[in-house]
Amino acid sequence: ILSLRQRVFILEQQCLYPDIDAVDLEAQHLAGYVSGQSDGNGVCAYLRLIKPRTASGPCSLGRIVSSPEHRGQGLGKQLVQHGISAANKTHPGSCIKVSAQQHLEAFYQGFGFHTSSAPYDEDGISHIDMLRPA
């Protein structure tokens, strides 16, 4: 999981930031695996589900990633759907938030997310906040 996150977020996207953080210790981690992957671990998709910070706040899906060699196969859609299901199960009644790269706005809209912020720069990449109602 950490290898995939490093390969995509730090190397591919050239974002130098501390990817491993204290949130990892409290988050629920969802990963997709494929057997026979060349790096041996088979992790091809991943996200972390973060609990709400307040009783009425949203939970969030973050670090959503698929490996470059498995993109275009629908794994991202499956992963986000599993993330939404896990969020609804573990945090019923909570909205779900994503900090999305702006070019993926339509992708997340397909899951019922609505844009909730103006675009902002995060590590040199344009992002928007999006919310999915409970």
Side-chain angles (χ1 to χ4, degrees), residues 53-72:
R53 293 183 180 168
T54 64
S56 61
C59 60
S60 63
L61 303 178
R63 301 291 201 266
I64 303 169
V65 62
S66 22
S67 65
E69 51 279 341
H70 291 98
R71 291 183 188 148

Side-chain angles (χ1 to χ4, degrees), residues 25-91:
L25 299 173
E26 297 179 6
Q28 181 179 349
H29 304 272
L30 285 76
Y33 296 87
V34 172
S35 62
Q37 187 169 331
S38 61
D39 66 6
N41 68 21
V43 178
C44 61
Y46 166 82
L47 68 74
R48 68 181 184 182
L49 169 58
I50 304 163
K51 66 183 178 182
R53 293 183 180 168
T54 64
S56 61
C59 60
S60 63
L61 303 178
R63 301 291 201 266
I64 303 169
V65 62
S66 22
S67 65
E69 51 279 341
H70 291 98
R71 291 183 188 148
Q73 300 176 17
L75 295 176
K77 289 180 181 178
Q78 291 177 42
L79 180 68
V80 171
Q81 189 57 57
H82 284 292
I84 291 168
S85 295
N88 289 336
K89 182 178 180 181
T90 57
H91 308 291

Side-chain angles (χ1 to χ4, degrees), residues 119-133:
Y120 58 91
D121 182 272
E122 186 172 313
D123 299 312
I125 299 171
S126 183
H127 281 70
I128 51 174
D129 288 337
M130 300 185 79
L131 283 174
R132 184 178 193 276

